[in-house]
């Protein structure tokens, strides 16, 4: 039953990514509660997110990249990903579940902010955020809304934001997987998860792309904001449940 629920979550996550261009890892991480260990689930999310990112970059309308900004993001994101891989290797399952839940809730709340504050626009702040997001992606596969908020606050050309984020997430996902492999933070069970759930993930993404072609701009905004609000609520509930399990489970 738990595996069926995880399949449903990753299908919905991929469908949301197909419609909006973001949010796969944010939603898929909610499904980690249904898996025996995050050690296999987080690498599965990273691999799936990398695959969906490649599909998005093949779309010329969404593949434009602001390389002047992307270079800074990638340099700091890579450094953060290496640190995040080391953190992932040192966490037990209970702590990892709790930190994932808290990160999902915080990231969803950030994503709900329509107009990021102007103080976020500075390059130094952006470099720090890129490093933090690299840590979060490598350790928990979540954190994208933080870097998106920086790009929006800086008044970047919105036509390049999706492509710039896709390049950043794809590169950091790949480095995160390599770092996790080097420190032994990838559970062999990820192979079984990929074999079982990559089909539903791709099906969800395809369904999302089909729905995206039928949505108006207003419909897209309502779906995106409503989905993020639902993720924030679900993340808060997951945090409470995880805390309860940690307190009631004997050490």
């Amino acid at each position: 039953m738990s595996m069926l629920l995880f399949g449903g979550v990753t299908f919905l996550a991929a469908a949301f990514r197909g419609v909006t261009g973001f949010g796969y890892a944010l939603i898929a991480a909610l499904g980690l509660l249904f898996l025996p260990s995050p050690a296999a689930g987080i690498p599965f999310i990273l691999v799936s997110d990398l695959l969906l990112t490649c599909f998005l970059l093949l779309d010329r309308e969404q593949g434009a990249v602001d390389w002047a900004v992307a270079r800074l993001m990638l340099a700091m994101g890579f450094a953060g990903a290496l640190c995040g891989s080391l953190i992932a290797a040192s966490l037990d399952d209970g702590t990892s579940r709790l930190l994932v839940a808290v990160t999902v809730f915080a990231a969803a709340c950030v994503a709900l902010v329509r107009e990021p504050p102007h103080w976020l626009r500075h390059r130094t702040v952006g470099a720090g955020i890129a490093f933090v997001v690299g840590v979060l992606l490598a350790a928990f596969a979540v954190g994208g809304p933080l870097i998106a908020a920086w790009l929006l606050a800086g008044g970047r050309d919105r036509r390049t934001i999706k492509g710039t984020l896709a390049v950043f997430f794809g590169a950091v996902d790949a480095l995160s997987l390599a770092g996790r492999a080097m420190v032994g933070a990838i559970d062999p069970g990820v192979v079984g998860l990929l074999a079982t759930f990559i089909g539903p993930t791709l099906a969800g993404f395809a369904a999302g792309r089909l729905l995206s072609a039928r949505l108006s701009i207003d419909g897209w905004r309502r779906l995106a904001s409503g989905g993020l609000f639902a993720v924030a609520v679900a993340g808060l509930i997951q945090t409470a449940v995880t805390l309860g399990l940690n307190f009631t489970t004997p050490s």
Side-chain angles (χ1 to χ4, degrees):
M1 183 62 179
S2 61
M3 299 300 279
L4 184 63
L5 290 172
F6 180 75
V9 171
T10 192
F11 177 89
L12 290 175
F16 191 80
R17 176 74 180 271
V19 173
T20 64
F22 64 89
Y24 170 77
L26 194 63
I27 297 174
L30 295 171
L32 294 177
L33 188 65
F34 304 121
L35 296 180
S37 170
I42 291 175
F44 168 80
I45 293 173
L46 289 171
V47 172
S48 299
D49 193 55
L50 178 59
L51 183 60
L52 299 184
T53 294
C54 292
F55 285 136
L56 284 176
L57 286 174
L58 292 175
D59 186 340
R60 292 185 178 181
E61 293 183 1
Q62 302 190 59
V65 179
D66 184 343
W67 286 107
V69 175
R71 282 191 287 270
L72 172 66
M73 291 167 54
L74 288 171
M76 298 305 295
F78 284 171
L82 293 175
C83 295
S85 298
L86 295 174
I87 292 172
S90 65
L91 294 176
D92 60 81
D93 285 350
T95 303
S96 183
R97 288 183 192 279
L98 177 60
L99 291 177
V100 167
V102 171
T103 305
V104 168
F105 173 66
C109 289
V110 170
L112 283 170
V113 178
R114 293 189 178 184
E115 295 295 334
H118 290 295
W119 57 265
L120 275 179
R121 68 176 60 203
H122 299 291
R123 287 178 66 85
T124 304
V125 174
I129 290 175
F131 177 83
V132 170
V133 170
V135 172
L136 294 176
L137 288 176
F140 313 120
V142 181
L146 299 173
I147 199 71
W150 176 66
L151 289 174
L152 291 171
R156 308 291 176 185
D157 186 344
R158 297 201 176 212
R159 293 172 297 180
T160 66
I161 287 180
K162 284 185 179 180
T164 303
L165 287 173
V167 166
F168 175 76
F169 292 146
V172 175
D173 283 346
L175 186 64
S176 298
L177 287 166
R180 277 176 161 267
M182 287 189 293
V183 298
I186 296 182
D187 191 290
V190 69
V191 176
L193 290 179
L194 286 169
T196 304
F197 296 115
I198 201 65
T201 301
L202 294 178
F205 183 74
R209 296 298 290 162
L210 289 174
L211 177 60
S212 178
R214 300 173 179 270
L215 280 179
S216 64
I217 295 297
D218 287 339
W220 182 91
R221 287 175 179 168
R222 285 195 297 269
L223 180 62
S225 60
L228 289 171
F229 179 76
V231 171
V233 172
L236 181 59
I237 293 172
Q238 187 183 59
T239 302
V241 170
T242 306
L243 278 172
L245 290 174
N246 285 349
F247 280 125
T248 56
T249 301
S251 56

